[in-house]
Amino acid sequence: MVLSCDLPEGAVLRLWPLMNPSMTGNRLSERLKRTKTRIGPQISLRQATPKGQVFLRMLGEFEVFDSERKLDLPTSRKTRALLAYLGAVSGRHTRSKLCDLFFDRAEDPRAALRWSLSKLRQSLGERCQHLLLADREAVEFVRTSVRTDVEALSLHAKANIDLPNEALANLVRGEFLDGLDLPACYSFHAWCLAERGRTSAVFEEILRAQLARKSDQDAEAALFVARLLVSRNPFDEESHLTVIRLLMRLGRIDEAIGQHDLCAGMLARELGVQPSKDMRMLRQKLASKNRKPKAAPTKGHRIVQRGARRIIGRDGEVALVSNRVLKVIREGQNAVMLISGPPGIGKSRLLDEVESAFRNLTSQVLRVKCFEAESIRPLGLWSDLLGPDLFAPAPRDRAAVKADGSAGRARLFKDILDDLVRRLDTGPLALLIDDFQWADDASIALLSFLYRNLGDRALLFCLTARPGELEDNPAANAFLYAPETRPLRIALTALSDAAAQKLVHRLNSNLDAPGIVKTAGGNPLMLIELVRGGGLADGNAGLADLLAQRRTRISPDARELFNWASVFGKQVPPRELAAAFGTDVSVVLPLLAELERHDLLLTGAGGAYVMSHDLIRQAAYFAISHPRRCLMHARIARLLGQRMEADQSLAIDVLLHAGEGGEHALAAGAAVLAGQQALRAFANDEAENIARRGLLHAAELAKDAQLSAQSALLGVLVHAASGLNGASLEILMQDIDALALSAAAKDRADIVARASYLLSIVHQERGDIAASAAASLRAAKASEKAQAAQKLRQLANTARCLMELGRDVDRAENLIGEAAALATANGLDDVELYWARGLLLGWKGKTDAAITAVEIAVERAAGSNDRWREAKCRLWLCMLNFEAAKLAATQRHAQRLEAMAAKMGEGAMAPSARVFLAISAPGAAGFDGALQAALDDLVAADDKSYLVYALNMAARVLYQHERVEPAIKILASSIRIADEIQAYSEGIHARALLILCHKRLNQPLGNELEALKIALQSEQPLPARVRNIIKKALP
Amino acid sequence: MAKFIVERIFETPVSDADLGAVAAGIKGCLGLYDVIWSRSYCSTDRLRMICEFEAKDAETVRKVQHEAHAPFERVWSADLMVQTVGG
């Protein structure tokens, strides 16, 4: 028995049944008998979900169990997501918050919430509906009666008890709420991704703890855990190493080599790095052990070919659609047809029949498929149908949008109407839209407009949809239930047994048709998958499991390529797919052909590939661990991002992938472009949705980048705000005010100006002309201030550079005066101005005042997170304090500088700090080892200007401590380097010090004196510290 | 004047506008610090870049990058090696 933890008695015992709530009766008894030696003898069936309570399974597909059974959840994904959210987040949730999270697209969000709650009560049934508490204000799920597998996961992490591998495998059945992360509800989506990341991290923690427990005792069990770790994060080389070591322990050398090759290939292909030294050494060991390499036998697979054969078991439906097609064409009147049914029931296949029927009579058919992830792409459906050129040129400013107003959208719709009329003039037309439940609002508005305005034309709209998910799309529902739409509704149900047997026979006459038909339950796609698998399947295997099995029949490389394709989601461009896969198109072509042969990918429009079925994509996508999904999305975002500026239609894809991949800067930038594009299409709601999504990413950026992104995204929101109600405008104004305040605190007058301008627009929208005028005035002033701040920075920066170089000091002084006047007139402040002023004061010998000015510059730089300027100013404080013989202050600044420099990457800052630490150390008497090391580092960093200065300072210390001979040697080096780089003042400085040294030794001054006099002939200005040395050196 | 190579890595693909802004920033500093820009290469995926400069030392090249807010990974001195005729 291996039970040991600090949890209350009984807590641990609940864990195992919680993971398997559906496993009751004999199955659970058998399982427990097998595992009780590990878990503990006390476990009994009483730990299953008690009466009156529910168990929520959130890892993987969302499922709910009461004490007796798995509950039938509503078909609406939003409603299921609502239940998951209420179960996961304890406490009372206000109705308004839930409306914001789930129903912001609905015309009446509160009614939509009420409808969802009523569906949830039905699903929970009499036994459990009392757990859902709702009053006028808020909704709550009674937490004391709810258990979740996520809680159990956390308990496992805390308990750290030995878990059998079966339990671990059960834990990893999927990521948090797989399939419920509604991309169109951005706040819920963000919450879902964050929870997914958290649970994924907890699970990895458990796996690592289990690996540590098992690796000493049971190599086989440890190998299982190590493989789980690899599957979660294939880029973690340490996990691969563990797998290889365990395989070696088990004597499975061929497998170990295979694991090595897999890891090395993946690292090279996807990260562009070589395996570590440990991995290479392990490979050498493996090579020495592997005396009989064997080639893996290749399996042949029977492939079910898709054929353009007659549809089976749908004669009635085919007759219906054929009649409707004929009616449209003969009568010259438009019509809507809706084919609905659950996944895999044959909707797309029946759509093929519609297409074929139409094409037999006329050639004009346009077909498109909607994608869930793209449901926020405004007019995405029409862009795919008619091409992206339907967007009008960008309105330059608010005035242009105002001038266009709703007329702009009407004009866009009219243009598309005209385009369709031109097409209809040449003959009847069919618009076929697959997966209509994921169409965006703007596309549906246009569809409705076209349907209403093309009543007397031979135009057929044929849509397919999943009924449950259609309920989540209010715009689609509104169109389909509008009195004038009157669609012909064809609801597909299960195939009859006879039809199903006929289908099996057509696919493979050698199989046991009745058995397959019984398992498939009349679902044609499931039936096809069963035939593909030779009729063999676990009795409990669902459609998703069968689809997942299809991927096991292809080669490992093709499977990995398909994983990447599933992350792309929509259409898969081969070039980008190859780049994501870490190779070029010629390498992936045979793999793509293999995927086509297995009917996993189909060729789509424009040379891109499409998934043969969305369920197949889901099966592949959900099998990828969350950490890896993030990395893959990030990579795709970066790849697509390369073309985003040239092809702005990619912005929405970049936003989605970058959002999933945690690439916040890229996501925020893409949101700006995508939002502007939505505005151009007059899709204001979508623009607002996109901008709000972008703001979530902008909040993750560093302050400066954050301000710029927020300003651009709030601009999109303001332009999209036409028609917003008072409360929404108030919130928008608060957001803009907050931006202006943050920008003012950071001296970003440009952002303040932009924010004031946006405020003036919002006031105008509210009809508050006076406030609008005041905001415009503030914008103008802030804009002037921004220009003044920019000018000030330029003047002070040039002055400071000149002072640092010791050139054109008079000009620098004039520039500083000009900058100071500008700063006073506009109430501005700038680190460069204090810095330049400090250097000028130091030049003039006013060291204390110089130190004060540069200290202010340090404060300002630190306040604005300008690390480089802060470090540079600290270096100047070291110099000024050292020259003023303030050694304690020099030490203090040098220590701070050294700490900062360590975080700043390569450069001369760190060795410079160490030079000062050495020469200002208490009791420093000359050229010790620390100084030599610091100077060596300075030489390596290649900062000749500062090296000359440091050598001169070191010589000065030596001279002061009567160590004249070594000082002379150092000065010789200093003069050589100063002449080489034409460092005028430090060259003079070194020569003057050399004269002082010779004087101290009572040596003749002939050459040195002459050299100094020649150098001084150029009459260039010199800093006070050098002038003081010259005074001492010259008679 | 010695030759120096500046290596840059971008987290996200760099746009022409970003490159233009960096180039404009650097251009203003080059004269002040006696640095000459020779040429640059940007990878086709826009994630990496190398720039060649002539200057008195590496730190001056670094200073110019900092002044212009041009992010870089490292600066190193370099010798130009070219193929000679018949070589």
Side-chain angles (χ1 to χ4, degrees), chain A residues 947-1015:
Chain A
L947 181 61
V948 176
Y949 174 86
L951 289 172
N952 287 348
M953 288 297 137
R956 205 174 90 172
V957 174
L958 287 169
Y959 172 78
Q960 284 165 352
H961 288 85
E962 307 290 338
R963 297 181 60 196
V964 182
E965 292 287 353
I968 289 174
K969 274 189 186 169
I970 288 178
L971 289 168
S973 300
S974 173
I975 290 168
R976 182 176 49 77
I977 301 168
D979 287 350
E980 183 192 321
I981 62 167
Q982 297 175 344
Y984 175 69
S985 65
E986 286 309 321
I988 301 269
H989 189 183
R991 287 189 167 90
L993 280 172
L994 192 61
I995 289 169
L996 289 177
C997 288
H998 284 302
K999 275 186 178 175
R1000 177 77 51 92
L1001 294 174
N1002 291 321
Q1003 288 177 342
L1005 300 174
N1007 290 342
E1008 287 76 17
L1009 202 57
E1010 196 57 30
L1012 180 60
K1013 283 180 179 169
I1014 291 170

Side-chain angles (χ1 to χ4, degrees), chain A residues 404-462:
Chain A
D404 275 339
S406 55
R409 186 176 175 122
R411 197 182 59 217
L412 175 68
F413 282 17
K414 177 76 169 47
D415 287 347
I416 294 167
L417 179 74
D418 292 345
D419 179 83
L420 287 188
V421 167
R422 276 192 296 276
R423 290 170 192 258
L424 287 161
D425 282 344
T426 64
L429 172 66
L431 293 175
L432 313 182
I433 303 171
D434 215 350
D435 284 329
F436 182 62
Q437 72 273 6
W438 293 323
D440 62 283
D441 292 0
S443 287
I444 296 167
L446 177 53
L447 177 67
S448 176
F449 170 82
L450 294 173
Y451 178 70
R452 279 185 277 111
N453 287 279
L454 291 167
D456 55 351
R457 297 286 188 149
L459 173 60
L460 174 68
F461 296 94
C462 188

Side-chain angles (χ1 to χ4, degrees), chain A residues 208 251 306 435 574 917 954 1015:
Chain A
R208 291 195 191 284
R306 241 182 206 221
D435 284 329
L917 286 171

Side-chain angles (χ1 to χ4, degrees), chain A residues 305-310 349 506:
Chain A
Q305 293 291 343
R306 241 182 206 221
R309 299 174 71 178
R310 212 165 68 81
R349 182 67 187 84
R506 178 194 280 179

Side-chain angles (χ1 to χ4, degrees), chain A residues 280-564:
Chain A
R280 290 200 302 274
M281 283 171 65
L282 215 50
R283 180 68 182 90
Q284 282 173 2
K285 252 190 202 176
L286 286 168
S288 66
K289 290 189 177 193
N290 186 37
R291 300 188 191 281
K292 294 178 197 169
K294 283 182 189 171
T298 48
K299 266 189 185 173
H301 299 296
R302 183 205 277 265
I303 297 162
V304 177
Q305 293 291 343
R306 241 182 206 221
R309 299 174 71 178
R310 212 165 68 81
I311 190 167
I312 291 177
R314 301 293 188 204
D315 294 346
E317 290 85 351
V318 170
L320 268 176
V321 301
S322 301
N323 286 340
R324 184 51 60 105
V325 166
L326 275 175
K327 191 175 175 204
V328 166
I329 294 173
R330 279 186 190 151
E331 296 179 6
Q333 290 204 334
N334 73 12
V336 177
M337 200 152 54
L338 173 69
I339 303 169
S340 64
I345 203 69
K347 300 184 291 296
S348 301
R349 182 67 187 84
L350 189 57
L351 200 61
D352 291 346
E353 292 292 320
V354 178
E355 181 173 354
S356 156
F358 217 86
R359 281 197 192 282
N360 285 339
L361 302 166
T362 173
S363 60
Q364 290 205 99
V365 178
L366 295 172
R367 182 165 175 169
V368 73
K369 182 174 168 60
C370 302
F371 294 86
E372 183 187 15
E374 291 219 325
S375 53
I376 60 167
R377 187 160 69 114
L379 294 178
L381 187 165
W382 293 100
S383 174
D384 287 349
L385 269 175
L386 305 173
D389 295 339
L390 59 95
F391 296 116
R396 278 190 201 145
D397 53 26
R398 181 66 182 170
V401 175
K402 270 295 207 194
D404 275 339
S406 55
R409 186 176 175 122
R411 197 182 59 217
L412 175 68
F413 282 17
K414 177 76 169 47
D415 287 347
I416 294 167
L417 179 74
D418 292 345
D419 179 83
L420 287 188
V421 167
R422 276 192 296 276
R423 290 170 192 258
L424 287 161
D425 282 344
T426 64
L429 172 66
L431 293 175
L432 313 182
I433 303 171
D434 215 350
D435 284 329
F436 182 62
Q437 72 273 6
W438 293 323
D440 62 283
D441 292 0
S443 287
I444 296 167
L446 177 53
L447 177 67
S448 176
F449 170 82
L450 294 173
Y451 178 70
R452 279 185 277 111
N453 287 279
L454 291 167
D456 55 351
R457 297 286 188 149
L459 173 60
L460 174 68
F461 296 94
C462 188
L463 322 169
T464 74
R466 300 178 188 174
E469 296 181 34
L470 198 56
E471 290 165 4
D472 290 339
N473 190 331
N477 269 324
F479 170 67
L480 290 169
Y481 285 100
E484 69 274 16
T485 306
R486 299 185 312 278
L488 168 65
R489 293 173 185 268
I490 301 174
L492 293 183
T493 52
L495 287 179
S496 68
D497 282 2
Q501 287 202 28
K502 199 171 167 188
L503 181 55
V504 174
H505 190 73
R506 178 194 280 179
L507 294 168
N508 188 339
S509 56
N510 299 324
L511 294 175
D512 165 31
I516 292 174
V517 167
K518 191 178 170 195
T519 311
N523 184 303
L525 182 59
M526 188 156 179
L527 200 138
I528 291 169
E529 290 308 311
L530 282 166
V531 172
R532 279 176 189 277
L536 302 172
D538 176 350
N540 292 328
L543 181 55
D545 302 315
L546 291 171
L547 290 170
Q549 281 171 22
R550 197 193 292 187
R551 291 179 300 119
T552 63
R553 297 179 208 121
I554 54 178
S555 68
D557 279 352
R559 194 155 57 232
E560 183 56 17
L561 187 70
F562 189 69
N563 284 342
W564 276 100

Side-chain angles (χ1 to χ4, degrees), chain A residues 645 800 807 906 941 944-945, chain B residues 15 34 56-57 67 75:
Chain A
E645 264 190 72
R800 190 265 299 166
R807 280 190 212 156
E906 66 160 35
K944 292 192 173 76
S945 306
Chain B
S15 65
D34 288 335
K56 65 178 180 183
D57 60 16
E67 296 281 7
V75 174

Side-chain angles (χ1 to χ4, degrees), chain A residues 881-909:
Chain A
N881 279 293
F882 184 75
E883 285 159 17
K886 296 179 176 177
L887 299 186
T890 309
Q891 280 280 313
R892 199 176 62 246
H893 288 299
Q895 282 165 0
R896 295 284 298 276
L897 178 61
E898 193 187 21
M900 286 186 75
K903 297 174 191 163
M904 289 177 61
E906 66 160 35
M909 217 72 91

